[in-house]
Amino acid sequence: MAEELVPIQKNEYNELLLQTVAVIENARINIARHIAASSSNTYWKIGRLLYERKLESKHGSGVVKRLSVDLKERYPDMGLSPRQLWNMKSFYVRYKDCDEKLLRSVALLPWSQNLLLLNKDLSDGDTLYYAKESIAKGWNRDLLLNAIKLGMHETHSVPSADNNFESTLPAVQTQYANEVFHSTSPFSTAPSVRKVRNHPLASSFVPRKTVWMWSWHLRA
């Protein structure tokens, strides 16, 4: 016996569709934050290894080049070039003495945006401002760069763009997730990341406390 079709009004269907999309987008955002935090934790630990061995760009360049070659043999898709390894050391040095609020904020940023902030010689307060704004408003690297050029940290203002961030919050958060997934992070092309982000049930495995515990793991 065929199942009877349940009639549904257009407005009811639209509501169902919007709610379903919201569930999926929320899952993508959680996955993106997990990936960003896990990546940042990895870069921090690698940077700390280089720092603790007192490797500098001059006398330590040969060691880092050899390390890059050996790592790329094991992880060819992660983009572990000597330059990226030095960037990881700079990442550790920059934030090793910072408070947890700043650490939690930069942990959520895509790697490309973290590299941008590293190169701008900003204070902790200004870095925190840009990190929080980037996440809340879904800025990509170009928007973040423009905000820094405009000196928005001086007034803690927001861009006078046409975007109504409050009314488009779901879209903005989607943009944040997309920026993490498509970032130039060494993890962005790793098969494991593609597998996680494409898995329909991946959100079920994202630990809620990952980001909030990140700063504790860094100093462990």
Side-chain angles (χ1 to χ4, degrees):
M1 182 177 178
E3 290 187 8
E4 233 181 274
L5 293 177
V6 179
I8 185 171
Q9 298 296 323
K10 184 177 180 180
N11 62 335
E12 293 178 331
Y13 173 77
N14 288 338
E15 182 179 357
L16 172 63
L17 176 60
L18 289 174
Q19 290 176 346
T20 304
V21 169
V23 169
I24 295 172
E25 290 302 330
N26 185 62
R28 293 182 75 248
I29 293 163
N30 287 337
I31 294 169
R33 288 176 175 171
H34 177 61
I35 290 173
S38 296
S39 299
S40 296
N41 189 33
T42 300
Y43 306 149
W44 172 277
K45 290 181 177 179
I46 293 174
R48 183 171 61 186
L49 289 173
L50 300 180
Y51 175 82
E52 289 175 344
R53 282 157 180 78
K54 296 180 171 57
L55 294 174
E56 302 295 339
S57 57
K58 291 182 180 179
H59 64 270
S61 60
V63 176
V64 172
K65 285 180 181 178
R66 179 178 176 181
L67 182 63
S68 172
V69 170
D70 289 339
L71 288 174
K72 284 192 288 188
E73 286 184 1
R74 291 172 178 258
Y75 312 104
D77 297 319
M78 285 181 62
L80 293 167
S81 66
R83 181 179 179 181
Q84 285 285 27
L85 293 175
W86 287 123
N87 285 337
M88 292 173 195
K89 183 195 172 186
S90 297
F91 182 63
Y92 172 78
V93 172
R94 170 64 181 87
Y95 297 112
K96 67 184 179 67
D97 297 319
C98 295
D99 62 31
E100 292 168 10
K101 187 176 182 180
L102 178 56
L103 289 177
R104 287 197 298 264
S105 296
V106 297
L108 293 175
L109 290 177
W111 183 238
S112 60
Q113 293 188 24
N114 263 317
L115 292 180
L116 177 60
L117 292 176
L118 282 174
N119 292 325
K120 292 302 177 180
D121 194 27
L122 298 166
S123 68
D124 287 359
D126 294 339
T127 301
L128 177 61
Y129 166 75
Y130 285 120
K132 293 175 69 174
E133 289 295 296
S134 293
I135 296 165
K137 297 181 172 58
W139 289 351
N140 58 24
R141 186 187 182 280
D142 291 338
L143 287 174
L144 174 58
L145 178 59
N146 288 336
I148 296 173
K149 286 181 177 179
L150 291 172
M152 289 181 180
H153 60 281
E154 296 175 359
T155 58
H156 285 199
S157 60
V158 296
S160 56
D162 295 333
N163 294 336
N164 184 334
F165 290 122
E166 292 184 1
S167 64
T168 59
L169 183 60
V172 168
Q173 294 301 312
T174 296
Q175 185 175 340
Y176 162 75
N178 290 338
E179 180 71 7
V180 172
F181 290 146
H182 296 96
S183 170
T184 54
S185 157
F187 280 160
S188 63
T189 57
S192 58
V193 172
R194 290 200 298 270
K195 183 177 180 180
V196 168
R197 81 175 187 229
N198 290 328
H199 197 296
L201 299 179
S203 61
S204 302
F205 305 101
V206 178
R208 290 178 178 270
K209 295 182 180 179
T210 297
V211 174
W212 298 105
M213 295 300 292
W214 182 73
S215 58
W216 293 94
H217 290 310
L218 294 186
R219 294 197 170 102

